């Protein structure tokens, strides 16, 4: 262990070089305006081969929307003493677009270094976790250290736009990769303190609500039905859902379901026209014990009452739907092993948490596998001037190493 940690401590320049080369290869899915992840995956395949990993497999998900016709997924395994058990570390190849270039202080695809900080699109989301996992593998191989169990790296596509061609595809089409005793770590979310080990998610859905009245001139309102009044009442009544679904669990923050009206579409383009159609959206993050169909039914019941009161038509259409996967138990081997290693490396007090949004761990949990999401991150994902920490990259690599070498 000491020899491996010393080796990892010497990898600062390796982190900079690998982050620089990864960032220079934009990996945008077609829904984000790109040609997919192939170029970046090809680089990673070469890098894995140069490290001396012999067990490297490709699982390409067919996709006619990219020039090569597929979205690449890579699996690499370093054998351990117990060949029947694998610690899988899962990171994603794709990134999000840089957004408004005017908000960046430099080219998003050219890494800038400032001491411990690296700036560039993708350096945190999810290249930091990816580089940590690669450092651990290289250290094991260079020092000829055999871990207690197999060490598996899974590099997936399409995480940023739903994972249908990434981890979801692998779990659906190639579940024979996994054993019943395997452990799964996803280094794609966390806190600067390193203490947050995510084991559960809320259910979530987005609903589009359309209120239809009758448009007319604002000076003759009796000739129409103003859709904004019933829409406003409906928006205010969304708050009732928190009382109707009151369950709380301190594992989550906030510890309750949340229902928030968010986006509103433009209705009319001029002040003196009374709108006959009004559209707004509600973001619902629901405690796992509730069935989303029941919540949607309640929203539609509120809509029916508003429609009857104002003489309008109300339509409630879900546009995103994710019933929560079963939680990973806090006393599961992967959760206990992760927290013990984090405690040893970072000398802190890690704890299990639940989150309000979905993670790729849900695909594994639905299949009965215990998975945790953990890393040391500073919440720069999707932001301009995204940055990551070299020190945290190496520290997280040590956590992975500790998990692999501790019996």
């Amino acid at each position: 262990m000491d020899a491996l940690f010393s080796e990892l401590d010497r990898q600062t320049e390796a982190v900079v070089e690998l982050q620089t080369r990864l960032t220079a290869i934009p990996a945008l899915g077609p829904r984000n305006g790109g040609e997919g992840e192939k170029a970046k995956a090809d680089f990673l395949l070469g890098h894995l081969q140069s490290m001396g990993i012999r067990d490297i497999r490709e699982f390409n998900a067919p996709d006619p929307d990219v020039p090569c016709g597929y979205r690449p997924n890579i699996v690499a395994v370093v054998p351990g003493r117990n060949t029947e058990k694998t610690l899988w570390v899962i990171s994603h190849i794709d990134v999000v677009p840089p957004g408004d270039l005017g908000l960046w202080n430099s080219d998003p695809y050219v890494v800038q270094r400032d001491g411990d900080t690296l700036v560039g699109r993708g350096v945190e989301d999810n290249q930091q976790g990816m580089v940590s996992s690669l450092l651990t593998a290289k250290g094991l191989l260079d020092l000829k250290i055999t871990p207690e169990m197999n060490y598996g790296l899974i590099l997936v596509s399409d995480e940023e736009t739903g994972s249908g061609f990434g981890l979801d595809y692998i779990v659906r089409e190639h579940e024979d990769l996994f054993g019943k005793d395997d452990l799964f770590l996803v280094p794609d979310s966390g806190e600067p303190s390193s203490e947050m080990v995510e084991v559960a998610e809320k259910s979530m859905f987005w609903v589009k609500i359309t209120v239809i009245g009758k448009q007319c001139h604002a000076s003759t309102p009796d000739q129409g039905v103003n859709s904004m009044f019933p829409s406003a009442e409906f928006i205010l009544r969304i708050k009732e859902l928190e009382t109707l679904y009151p369950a709380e669990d301190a594992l989550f923050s906030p510890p309750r379901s949340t229902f928030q009206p968010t986006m509103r579409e433009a209705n009319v383009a001029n002040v003196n026209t009374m709108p006959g159609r009004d559209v707004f959206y509600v973001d619902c993050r629901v405690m796992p014990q509730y069935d989303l169909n029941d919540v949607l039914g309640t929203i539609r019941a509120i809509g029916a009452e508003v429609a009857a009161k104002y003489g309008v038509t109300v339509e409630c259409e879900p546009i995103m739907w994710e019933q929560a996967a079963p939680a990973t138990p806090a006393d599961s081997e992967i959760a206990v092993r992760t927290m013990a290693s984090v405690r040893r490396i970072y000398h802190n007090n890690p704890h299990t948490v639940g989150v309000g949004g979905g993670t790729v761990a849900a695909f594994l949990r639905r299949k009965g596998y215990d998975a945790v999401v953990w890393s040391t991150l500073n919440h720069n994902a999707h932001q301009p001037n995204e940055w990551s920490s070299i020190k945290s990259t190496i520290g997280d690599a040590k956590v992975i190493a500790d998990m692999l070498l501790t019996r």
Side-chain angles (χ1 to χ4, degrees):
M1 190 85 79
D2 290 343
L4 181 53
F5 284 2
S6 295
E7 179 69 12
L8 290 171
D9 282 332
R10 292 191 285 269
Q11 299 307 308
T12 293
E13 294 307 318
V15 173
V16 176
E17 180 182 359
L18 192 48
Q19 282 274 31
T20 298
R21 297 188 70 178
L22 288 168
T23 303
I25 311 172
L28 300 169
R31 287 172 57 188
N32 277 330
E35 296 186 348
E37 302 88 351
K38 182 181 184 301
K40 194 168 178 180
D42 287 347
F43 167 79
L44 286 165
L45 282 168
H47 185 75
L48 291 166
Q49 291 163 355
S50 72
M51 290 165 53
I53 299 180
R54 296 177 181 176
D55 184 358
I56 303 173
R57 285 166 280 177
E58 298 177 63
F59 297 91
N60 297 325
D63 183 1
D65 291 332
V66 293
C68 68
Y70 65 86
R71 311 290 288 280
N73 299 288
I74 303 169
V75 174
V77 178
V78 178
R81 288 190 175 89
N82 180 359
T83 58
E84 300 301 314
K85 184 174 185 176
T86 303
L87 170 64
W88 296 101
V89 178
I90 304 169
S91 51
H92 63 86
I93 303 171
D94 58 321
V95 300
V96 296
D100 185 350
L101 295 178
L103 299 177
W104 285 79
N105 298 328
S106 58
D107 186 330
Y109 298 115
V110 178
V111 163
Q112 303 295 313
R113 180 181 178 185
D114 181 8
D116 179 61
T117 298
L118 300 176
V119 178
R121 176 52 86 224
V123 294
E124 182 181 82
D125 183 21
N126 182 217
Q127 289 168 198
Q128 179 176 312
M130 181 188 294
V131 171
S132 293
S133 69
L134 293 168
L135 290 181
T136 303
K138 189 174 189 303
L140 291 170
L141 293 164
D142 287 352
L143 298 178
K144 296 181 171 56
I145 296 172
T146 301
E148 292 298 316
M149 67 189 86
N150 297 333
Y151 177 35
L153 297 89
I154 305 179
L155 311 177
V156 296
S157 291
D158 193 34
E159 190 274 345
E160 297 292 0
T161 51
S163 295
F165 300 97
L167 187 58
D168 183 21
Y169 170 79
I170 290 178
V171 172
R172 279 187 288 111
E173 303 295 333
H174 301 284
E175 192 183 355
D176 57 339
L177 274 171
F178 308 134
K180 61 181 179 61
D181 295 324
D182 287 358
L183 308 175
F184 298 86
L185 172 67
V186 182
D188 194 24
S189 182
E191 294 286 345
S193 69
S194 308
E195 293 181 331
M196 189 182 85
V197 179
E198 185 267 302
V199 296
E201 304 165 3
K202 294 178 183 177
S203 300
M204 59 186 292
F205 72 101
W206 300 337
V207 58
K208 175 183 178 180
I209 297 176
T210 304
V211 179
I212 302 171
K214 182 181 178 182
Q215 181 176 311
C216 69
H217 197 284
S219 66
T220 56
D222 293 345
Q223 295 180 13
V225 179
N226 193 327
S227 60
M228 287 190 69
F229 288 116
S231 183
E233 180 164 326
F234 202 160
I235 289 171
L236 291 173
R237 291 195 62 184
I238 291 297
K239 190 73 174 174
E240 296 175 15
L241 295 168
E242 294 184 8
T243 301
L244 295 170
Y245 297 93
E248 294 194 4
D249 185 340
L251 182 69
F252 295 91
S253 179
R256 64 188 186 280
S257 299
T258 60
F259 305 92
Q260 291 297 313
T262 55
M263 186 173 72
R264 195 169 195 170
E265 294 184 5
N267 44 34
V268 292
N270 52 304
V271 176
N272 60 344
T273 295
M274 191 174 76
R277 183 177 181 273
D278 201 61
V279 179
F280 67 95
Y281 297 78
V282 182
D283 179 298
C284 306
R285 312 290 169 124
V286 185
M287 296 300 285
Q289 56 263 57
Y290 294 123
D291 188 326
L292 293 186
N293 288 294
D294 294 339
V295 180
L296 179 60
T298 301
I299 292 173
R300 284 176 167 157
I302 294 172
E305 293 174 8
V306 170
K309 179 177 178 179
Y310 288 92
V312 294
T313 299
V314 173
E315 300 171 352
C316 302
E317 175 192 359
I319 59 170
M320 191 278 292
W321 189 272
E322 190 83 19
Q323 186 73 46
T328 294
D331 61 355
S332 63
E333 182 180 356
I334 182 59
V336 170
R337 189 179 282 266
T338 301
M339 289 190 290
S341 292
V342 170
R343 191 177 295 111
R344 280 191 289 268
I345 301 305
Y346 285 108
H347 308 290
N348 57 10
N349 187 32
H351 54 278
T352 54
V353 301
V355 297
T359 70
V360 295
F363 298 111
L364 296 161
R365 292 173 183 154
R366 289 194 183 97
K367 289 288 189 176
Y369 299 107
D370 291 334
V372 302
V373 181
W374 170 86
S375 56
T376 306
L377 295 181
N378 293 282
H379 300 294
N380 292 284
H382 298 211
Q383 296 181 19
N385 303 305
E386 177 184 349
W387 63 275
S388 71
S389 161
I390 300 170
K391 181 179 178 181
S392 295
T393 305
I394 293 173
D396 289 4
K398 290 181 178 180
V399 170
I400 298 170
D402 190 85
M403 294 173 69
L404 286 164
L405 299 181
T406 302
R407 295 184 181 180

